[in-house]
Amino acid sequence: MEGLVTLILAAGLGKRMKSKHPKVVHKICGRTMIEWVVNAAKDVGSNDIVVVVGHKAEEVKEVLKDRVKYAYQQTQLGTGHAVMMARDLLPEQGNVLILTGDTPLITSQTLKSLVKFHVEEGNSVTILSSVVEDPSGYGRIIRDESGNVIKIVEDKDATEKEKSIHEINSAMYVMDIAKLKKALRMITNNNAQGEYYLTDAVEIIKQMGGKIGAFTASAEEIMGVNSRVQLSDAERVMRKRINYRHMEKGVTIIDPETTYIGAEVEIAPDTVILPGCVIEGKTVIGSDCEIGPNCRIVDSHIGDGCNIMYSVILSSKLGNDIKVGPFAQIRPESVIHDKAKIGDFVEIKKSVIGEGTKVPHLTYVGDAEVGKNVNMGCGSITVNYDGKQKYKTVIGDNVFVGCNVNLVAPVKIGNNAYIAAGSTITEDVPEGALAIARSKQTNKEGWVQERIKKGRL
């Protein structure tokens, strides 16, 4: 909606989270709660967003940076007081969408409908309400016999009759800014909590002659997060939404209940995600892949036709038709080119693996540049660290590295070279050469019998 201002209340202490961090910076599916709310507001078309911060304000600002404006509530004296702190950042006319930073499940679709309802009904205030089975702790929506909204009563100030009402206030609203500013000058803290309630402003606006309405949303969307248990509940809901969205776009997820996909992950159609996978950050996965079971992939790009099982991939890029695992780890800044194989118990660290190269098993490749069609034998290692500095290993194309080889960096292996099994290579190997660096074998015949005779075996 053009000209719509959004005000997000995010100054609370969040005591029930029992955390050293502000409540609203805790994450749901890899994104902070406050970011979910800000993004929903932006999707409505509200680009002018003010966030009221207080407790650990710098942590909230570190998350949102300059995407929003900030108001500061030094002492938390209620929702009405929080809005007072942002009054000077609001224009004189128009509508303001008021949201809370701890309701990450609210959707832009619901907010769009709320704003549209507010405008079409000509309301001065529209409350986002919900009907719940257990309304304990929530403010109740009080209506007259004709169904018109009269006021909101906070749970602690409600009578027994009012407490029996199941329509509750979500603490989210659309309000006429001019009327809101007038009402803020008139609210008091004469209540059980000694706080300035924004709900009192609603009643004052009604007394001014303003029209009050309520738009009903699902209980799921207005769920606030005040504890670690509720954080887990919200995570479960959001995870289901994300997984279903991917499935609707053509991704097969075998068991959504055990699959954890972050908010910003992209997956192309016809990829299959097996149980136990955790896919996070800005990961992009191509089509016709099989991921899992039990993989963790973070901030990585995976091409088409890859098969990854029981493995960890962090901040790396994989091409097409690559096999990884089981039990492999690809550490940050690695690049694996097409048709490569990274096998079981292999670790790749900050290295480039060429097209068609095989690193089948029990191998460490660190700080290395490995060419095309190379075979790294079982137990081969690039020795990249001398205790103070890291050094680079360069391996050319079509190189065969035997089992249990140590390549002590800095070292270069030329194209088409062979490294004999058990060698420790400390000097460059020319193109097409066979490098052998191991002791000559000696057999001492009869040695065992002699040791037995002497009682030593």
Side-chain angles (χ1 to χ4, degrees):
M1 178 181 177
E2 188 175 349
L4 179 69
V5 180
T6 298
L7 179 61
I8 302 175
L9 310 185
L13 296 175
K15 291 180 180 178
R16 281 191 282 164
M17 291 294 287
K18 292 181 170 55
S19 174
K20 62 185 177 184
H21 303 292
K23 174 172 61 173
V24 297
V25 304
H26 287 266
K27 292 184 176 182
I28 303 287
C29 293
R31 181 182 287 165
T32 63
M33 287 195 279
I34 189 68
E35 287 179 290
W36 281 109
V37 180
V38 167
N39 289 350
K42 286 186 177 293
D43 287 345
V44 174
S46 178
N47 293 315
D48 189 1
I49 298 176
V50 179
V51 177
V52 181
V53 295
H55 176 63
K56 298 287 184 76
E58 292 307 314
E59 288 193 43
V60 181
K61 290 181 178 181
E62 181 61 28
V63 168
L64 297 176
K65 296 184 168 45
D66 59 356
R67 285 183 279 172
V68 301
K69 299 174 185 175
Y70 297 96
Y72 186 66
Q73 186 186 23
Q74 184 172 3
T75 305
Q76 283 68 55
L77 298 176
T79 52
H81 182 258
V83 176
M84 289 178 192
M85 298 301 99
R87 182 166 44 200
D88 293 342
L89 293 174
L90 300 178
E92 295 304 314
Q93 302 292 329
N95 290 305
V96 59
L97 175 63
I98 300 176
L99 305 174
T100 58
D102 62 355
T103 51
L105 298 177
I106 191 67
T107 66
S108 57
Q109 290 86 351
T110 291
L111 294 181
K112 287 176 183 177
S113 298
L114 169 67
V115 173
K116 182 180 179 183
F117 177 84
H118 175 82
V119 173
E120 290 179 348
E121 293 293 315
N123 291 341
S124 299
V125 176
T126 302
I127 305 156
L128 187 65
S129 71
S130 187
V131 177
V132 298
E133 288 187 18
D134 181 8
S136 302
Y138 289 98
R140 309 301 202 279
I141 305 295
I142 310 300
R143 297 178 182 265
D144 63 19
E145 294 176 354
S146 300
N148 300 310
V149 177
I150 303 172
K151 62 180 179 178
I152 305 167
V153 177
E154 295 295 337
D155 183 67
K156 292 181 180 179
D157 298 317
T159 65
E160 288 303 314
K161 182 178 179 181
E162 290 168 337
K163 286 185 176 182
S164 68
I165 295 170
H166 287 260
E167 185 179 12
I168 58 94
N169 174 27
S170 71
M172 290 179 267
Y173 315 84
V174 183
M175 294 191 182
D176 179 277
I177 293 173
K179 290 184 172 63
L180 172 62
K181 286 190 171 185
K182 287 181 183 178
L184 289 174
R185 299 187 187 99
M186 300 170 67
I187 62 175
T188 69
N189 63 346
N190 184 24
N191 52 61
Q193 296 299 300
E195 295 183 349
Y196 296 90
Y197 292 150
L198 185 57
T199 50
D200 289 346
V202 174
E203 190 168 355
I204 291 168
I205 291 172
K206 180 174 176 58
Q207 292 169 359
M208 291 177 185
K211 183 181 178 183
I212 311 299
F215 181 84
T216 304
S218 70
E220 178 183 277
E221 286 197 43
I222 62 94
M223 183 177 73
V225 175
N226 296 298
S227 68
R228 304 283 182 161
V229 172
Q230 291 174 341
L231 185 71
S232 175
D233 291 340
E235 172 90 20
R236 189 178 302 109
V237 172
M238 192 68 77
R239 186 171 75 244
K240 181 179 178 180
R241 288 182 188 176
I242 291 170
N243 288 350
Y244 280 28
R245 185 179 74 236
H246 285 292
M247 289 189 283
E248 287 167 358
K249 291 182 178 181
V251 178
T252 296
I253 299 177
I254 300 299
D255 184 5
E257 293 295 320
T258 61
T259 301
Y260 301 79
I261 301 176
E264 298 178 274
V265 172
E266 298 177 29
I267 307 174
D270 294 318
T271 280
V272 178
I273 310 296
L274 297 173
C277 289
V278 180
I279 306 172
E280 305 172 72
K282 296 183 181 297
T283 294
V284 177
I285 298 175
S287 62
D288 300 305
C289 294
E290 184 171 282
I291 310 297
N294 299 321
C295 290
R296 184 178 184 222
I297 302 174
V298 183
D299 290 323
S300 295
H301 189 287
I302 312 295
D304 298 333
C306 293
N307 188 308
I308 302 165
M309 59 187 300
Y310 294 105
S311 294
V312 176
I313 301 174
L314 308 174
S315 302
S316 293
K317 184 175 181 179
L318 278 66
N320 302 320
D321 302 311
I322 292 170
K323 296 184 183 298
V324 178
F327 315 119
Q329 181 180 21
I330 300 176
R331 291 167 56 188
E333 299 182 56
S334 295
V335 177
I336 315 297
H337 288 287
D338 296 354
K339 300 180 180 178
K341 179 181 179 181
I342 310 299
D344 48 307
F345 302 104
V346 169
E347 181 178 357
I348 309 293
K349 177 257 177 184
K350 198 177 180 180
S351 295
V352 176
I353 305 298
E355 182 177 348
T357 285
K358 294 179 174 60
V359 190
H361 37 217
L362 299 165
T363 295
Y364 171 73
V365 179
D367 298 288
E369 184 178 315
V370 182
K372 299 177 182 179
N373 300 314
V374 172
N375 184 86
M376 298 291 293
C378 175
S380 56
I381 294 172
T382 61
V383 185
N384 57 335
Y385 186 48
D386 68 357
K388 291 185 179 180
Q389 289 183 285
K390 298 288 179 72
Y391 297 94
K392 188 173 183 178
T393 297
V394 178
I395 302 174
D397 297 338
N398 307 307
V399 170
F400 183 91
V401 178
C403 295
N404 293 321
V405 165
N406 299 309
L407 301 175
V408 183
V411 68
K412 293 183 179 180
I413 312 300
N415 294 337
N416 304 302
Y418 274 63
I419 312 297
S423 295
T424 295
I425 303 299
T426 59
E427 298 178 2
D428 292 352
V429 177
E431 181 174 345
L434 168 64
I436 306 171
R438 62 192 184 204
S439 298
K440 183 178 179 181
Q441 181 172 327
T442 301
N443 296 330
K444 296 185 177 182
E445 295 187 15
W447 181 87
V448 173
Q449 286 299 322
E450 289 181 10
R451 301 288 287 184
I452 293 173
K453 288 177 181 180
K454 295 178 179 180
R456 297 182 183 179
L457 283 180

